[in-house]
Amino acid sequence: TQHLAFRRHGEMLVCVGSSAEQTIQLPLRLDALLDQNKRYQVELYNSELNQWITGEPASGKDLKESAISIEAGGFRLLRFQEQAA
């Protein structure tokens, strides 16, 4: 797997790709990237479906550890946008 993260004011984009020949489950640790005291709107781009999926807003604390599934040769983009207080 390969990963890369971009950040600008109020927004972060995490890119994760897989060169595996089968679907993998990938654990994510985001505690160093997200502020535990802020809320984020989360969106996920799924390369297999070729679409963005909007998730529920959540706190950085709730998002600090999770996992994603990536199909063989696929990728995911995870976008976190800070919510107004």
Side-chain angles (χ1 to χ4, degrees):
T1 60
Q2 300 290 325
H3 64 279
L4 181 65
F6 298 95
R7 180 189 298 260
R8 65 179 176 188
H9 182 71
E11 185 176 11
M12 185 175 58
L13 181 70
V14 177
C15 312
V16 184
S18 172
S19 58
E21 295 182 11
Q22 69 277 345
T23 298
I24 62 168
Q25 191 75 7
L26 183 69
L28 293 176
R29 294 222 28 160
L30 301 169
D31 53 337
L33 300 174
L34 301 176
D35 185 329
Q36 291 192 28
N37 299 314
K38 293 186 178 180
R39 291 188 62 76
Y40 297 88
Q41 176 62 53
V42 182
E43 294 177 286
L44 170 78
Y45 182 81
N46 181 324
S47 65
E48 184 176 29
L49 300 175
N50 194 31
Q51 74 180 53
W52 284 96
I53 300 165
T54 302
E56 297 293 321
S59 70
K61 182 178 180 180
D62 292 338
L63 295 168
K64 68 181 182 180
E65 291 185 20
S66 62
I68 56 172
S69 176
I70 304 175
E71 71 280 358
F75 66 92
R76 298 289 183 270
L77 303 176
L78 295 94
R79 182 168 37 202
F80 301 91
Q81 294 179 304
E82 288 181 19
Q83 300 281 278

